[in-house]
Amino acid sequence: MTTPPPAELISRLAALATGHATRFGFALQSLADKSQGEMGGDRFDEVFTQASAIKIPILWELYSQAEEGLLALHETLPVSLASGVGGCGVLQQFTPGASRIALGDLAVLMIVLSDNVATNLLIDRLGMQRINDRLASVGLEQTRLRRVMIDFAARAAGRENTATPAEAVRLMTLLDQRCRAGDAAAQAVIGMLTLKKESPVTKALHGREPSLVLASKPGMLDGLRTEWALVRCNGCAYVFALMAEGTDDTLLQKLFSEATVMIHSALAGRAAD
């Protein structure tokens, strides 16, 4: 029998956005070695633009294709500004055509620095349709990659990269299950997502327990912020996704920080009982 998150926690989290012109959706789920809790949340089936959080499915596709023998992580690609400029990252500062970088190293840049040129190089090599087909193969209907990073024309036309909080939690839970079952692609994804990066979620959890492991990817654009996260610590494991839009980033950062602290305090304390 599965156990849902505490109703009081869900109510308190939903109330965080009260009084602001913010659409705030979230989903969370406790995990255990042999079972998992019931998913809970608010507005968790609503579709949100994802910004850089959509890079998790791209990373999964990369390691999956490597395991399937469709590519090698040491394969190199030339750095070209035709792959896009703007936003986060360092590759847009490189001399065009003068450097080649391995696919595995592009993945590090994509996740740790959220490098958009690295991301677009990977999308082109992997194939956008293949990324979406893999998402569909595990039953995710709203999580879709529809454009490369920093594509203003696509954004103006309404082609956005999307997911729901519930589907983000389902994918992170699936990756965790496959990781613990020995799936090499899932293990590589989770390992990469544990690399240090800056976000309200990582700041809120930093230093709380020496054993805490956080696998996450944040995303942000003007007026919106998302983050998908898996947390493991002593006697505690859970997945959550936060998605919000409609206000300035100062408020969104505060919202995500407060939500993270509430979730961890409730679920970590519950595991210790």
Side-chain angles (χ1 to χ4, degrees):
M1 180 177 179
T2 59
T3 304
E8 179 187 2
L9 171 62
I10 301 301
S11 297
R12 289 174 60 212
L13 287 167
L16 286 174
T18 301
H20 303 295
T22 305
R23 184 168 70 103
F24 177 41
F26 61 90
L28 57 149
Q29 187 167 8
S30 295
L31 305 176
D33 289 338
K34 295 183 179 180
S35 63
Q36 63 187 45
E38 181 181 326
M39 186 188 301
D42 188 57
R43 309 184 86 154
F44 53 78
D45 284 327
E46 294 187 15
V47 177
F48 288 80
T49 298
Q50 289 306 294
S52 289
I54 201 67
K55 294 171 182 177
I56 292 177
I58 299 170
L59 185 68
W60 184 34
E61 183 64 25
L62 171 66
Y63 287 125
S64 295
Q65 287 194 24
E67 285 301 308
E68 293 161 2
L70 299 176
L71 53 77
L73 295 175
H74 61 260
E75 173 190 332
T76 62
L77 295 176
V79 176
S80 167
L81 296 190
S83 298
V85 295
C88 298
V90 296
L91 291 188
Q92 60 189 296
Q93 307 302 328
F94 280 32
T95 303
S99 301
R100 298 184 67 90
I101 300 183
L103 297 180
D105 295 335
L106 290 172
V108 176
L109 291 169
M110 176 177 72
I111 297 302
V112 177
L113 299 182
S114 215
D115 193 295
N116 290 319
V117 173
T119 304
N120 290 349
L121 286 167
L122 287 172
I123 292 172
D124 184 63
R125 178 63 180 85
L126 299 170
M128 190 177 295
Q129 189 59 52
R130 282 183 176 271
I131 296 167
N132 289 327
D133 286 347
R134 196 171 301 273
L135 292 167
S137 74
V138 295
L140 302 183
E141 299 178 352
Q142 303 296 338
T143 305
R144 290 292 183 270
L145 181 69
R146 296 187 176 89
R147 63 168 178 80
V148 297
M149 304 298 111
I150 315 298
D151 186 340
F152 296 110
R155 292 199 71 194
R159 294 199 313 277
E160 284 290 8
N161 301 322
T162 61
T164 68
E167 289 197 355
V169 164
R170 285 172 56 193
L171 180 55
M172 294 298 285
T173 300
L174 175 66
L175 289 169
D176 175 66
Q177 291 171 339
R178 293 188 176 186
C179 178
R180 291 186 288 114
D183 181 272
Q187 289 175 336
V189 171
I190 296 298
M192 183 70 73
L193 294 178
T194 63
L195 296 179
K196 185 178 180 181
K197 59 193 76 69
E198 295 295 328
S199 78
V201 171
T202 61
K203 289 180 180 178
L205 292 175
H206 179 70
R208 286 191 163 262
E209 285 95 10
S211 66
L212 190 145
V213 176
L214 170 64
S216 67
K217 185 72 184 83
M220 62 175 292
L221 289 168
D222 290 342
L224 72 89
R225 184 175 281 274
T226 63
E227 187 141 1
W228 308 6
L230 162 68
V231 176
R232 286 193 169 274
C233 55
N234 285 335
C236 171
Y238 61 89
V239 172
F240 68 97
L242 307 176
M243 303 181 184
E245 60 181 25
T247 189
D248 67 86
D249 195 57
T250 300
L251 287 174
L252 293 181
Q253 287 188 56
K254 184 173 183 289
L255 172 65
F256 276 39
S257 179
E258 291 179 351
T260 301
V261 171
M262 281 186 185
I263 292 168
H264 186 72
S265 296
L267 298 187
R270 197 181 195 194
D273 291 340

